[in-house]
């Protein structure tokens, strides 16, 4: 069984500390068997202070890190001016076995950055921390606009609920959309969320009468199999193309075209896992038009061909 070790550091945020156990614990196989074992440890096995008004008793110490298949670093309160305070926890990475997957939630990415694990890599953290992180760790390719970044064996997420998004993504990557969707239902959360952090960054409150693109997004999701040019989307929203594009990006954090591709990839992945449709029919139903187009976009998203993806998740 895949072991997920969650490291609780002093001043940990309790909500995010519990996310891995809830999400990975909800992931079940076809016979309702658990797919992950989740354990929590501290550096010394002693109690851990939190960012709330209580402490947490942890049964395991740092030796648990040597048994991790996936190591999760939840967020903790940190003082950006005191970078040296991050040095002692950095030693935890020396205890990991080769090939261990490393995951951070929110400000947990600071520890990965201080250890050099993010050097030259794309990464994210809570949007309000990105400016300070860029200043302290300029060698990292920080992105404030995404909910999470999957860079292979190192994954980072934005703040709070984005940790749920990332854990569900990992379940989907490990076991496919059907398992991830069931885990999401158990946790009463959406299997995935549109857009990125841009939709949550503080902005002036819009006029209540201002139109949004939400209805058009819902309308488009029911018509992914056919071409959806920008002019038609804007027309449905009763906006000019320029206004629609600007408002869409403000609300979702990406362009309409990128959003459509993402939704079509998700639909294609579901069809490849849950149906026996030939690849060209999957491509048609997902709105890619041809198997070559599907192959190109799926490879860009997950790094494999449609047939390889189906073999992996239908096995």
């Amino acid at each position: 069984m895949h072991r997920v070790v969650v490291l609780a550091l002093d001043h940990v945020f309790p909500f995010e500390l519990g996310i891995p156990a809830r999400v990975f614990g909800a992931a079940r196989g076809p016979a309702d068997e658990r797919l992950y074992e989740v354990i929590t440890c501290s550096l010394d096995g002693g109690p851990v202070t939190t960012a709330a008004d209580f402490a947490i008793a942890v049964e395991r110490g740092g030796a648990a890190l040597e048994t991790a298949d996936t190591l999760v670093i939840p967020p903790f309160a940190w003082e950006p001016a005191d970078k040296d305070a991050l040095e002692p926890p950095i030693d935890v990475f020396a205890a990991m076995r080769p090939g261990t997957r490393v995951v951070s939630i929110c400000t947990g990415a600071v520890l990965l950055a201080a250890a050099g694990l993010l050097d030259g890599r794309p990464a994210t953290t809570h949007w309000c921390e990105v400016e300070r992180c860029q200043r302290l760790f300029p060698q990292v390719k920080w992105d404030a606009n995404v909910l999470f970044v999957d860079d292979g064996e190192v994954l980072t997420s934005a703040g709070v609920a984005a940790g749920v998004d990332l854990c569900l993504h990992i379940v989907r990557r490990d076991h496919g959309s059907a398992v991830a969707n069931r885990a999401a239902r158990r946790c009463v959360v959406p299997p995935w969320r549109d857009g990125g952090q841009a939709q949550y960054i503080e902005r002036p409150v819009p006029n209540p009468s201002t139109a949004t693109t939400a209805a058009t997004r819902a309308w488009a999701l029911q018509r992914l199999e056919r071409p959806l040019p920008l002019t038609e989307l804007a027309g449905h929203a009763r906006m000019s193309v320029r206004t629609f594009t600007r408002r869409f990006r403000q609300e979702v954090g990406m362009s309409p075209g990128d959003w459509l591709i993402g939704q079509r990839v998700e639909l294609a992945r579901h069809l490849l896992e849950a149906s026996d449709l030939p690849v060209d029919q999957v491509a048609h139903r997902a709105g890619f038009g041809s198997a070559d187009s599907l192959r190109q976009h799926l490879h860009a998203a997950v790094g494999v061909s449609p047939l390889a993806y189906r073999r992996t998740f239908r096995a």
Side-chain angles (χ1 to χ4, degrees), residues 105-263:
I105 300 174
C106 193
T107 58
V110 173
L111 190 63
L112 275 60
L117 296 182
L118 299 181
D119 288 0
R121 291 180 179 271
T124 192
T125 185
H126 195 293
W127 62 265
C128 69
E129 298 284 348
V130 169
E131 184 178 346
R132 286 182 286 188
C133 287
Q134 287 174 331
R135 186 170 64 251
L136 289 173
F137 307 105
Q139 66 275 24
V140 181
K141 301 174 183 177
W142 297 105
D143 187 347
N145 295 319
V146 295
L147 293 175
F148 59 82
V149 173
D150 180 343
D151 196 40
E153 72 274 21
V154 179
L155 301 93
T156 54
S157 83
V160 196
V164 177
D165 297 316
L166 178 54
C167 289
L168 284 171
H169 167 76
I170 292 170
V171 173
R172 187 177 298 111
R173 195 176 93 168
D174 290 350
H175 299 286
S177 296
V179 172
N181 292 348
R182 286 196 298 271
R185 285 195 294 272
R186 284 177 181 263
C187 296
V188 199
V189 296
W192 65 82
R193 288 189 291 165
D194 296 340
Q197 290 195 76
Q199 58 191 311
Y200 304 106
I201 295 174
E202 292 177 348
R203 295 188 179 89
V205 178
N207 187 314
S209 64
T210 299
T212 75
T213 64
T216 298
R217 295 199 303 273
W219 175 84
L221 286 175
Q222 304 302 315
R223 295 162 175 81
L224 291 176
E225 75 283 355
R226 67 178 183 80
L228 292 168
L230 186 55
T231 52
E232 185 175 1
L233 295 173
H236 180 272
R238 298 181 180 178
M239 302 177 191
S240 69
V241 169
R242 183 176 180 180
T243 299
F244 177 80
T245 302
R246 182 181 69 252
R247 194 154 293 155
F248 195 103
R249 188 177 289 276
Q250 289 173 343
E251 294 177 4
V252 180
M254 62 179 67
S255 71
D258 288 342
W259 178 82
L260 277 174
I261 289 173
Q263 299 305 315

Side-chain angles (χ1 to χ4, degrees), residues 67-114:
T67 70
D69 298 305
T70 294
L71 172 63
V72 180
I73 310 294
F76 53 92
W78 68 295
E79 175 49 58
D82 189 12
K83 201 172 159 184
D84 294 339
L86 297 172
E87 290 186 3
I90 289 175
D91 295 337
V92 306
F93 299 114
M96 295 189 314
R97 297 178 298 179
T100 300
R101 182 167 55 192
V102 182
V103 177
S104 69
I105 300 174
C106 193
T107 58
V110 173
L111 190 63
L112 275 60

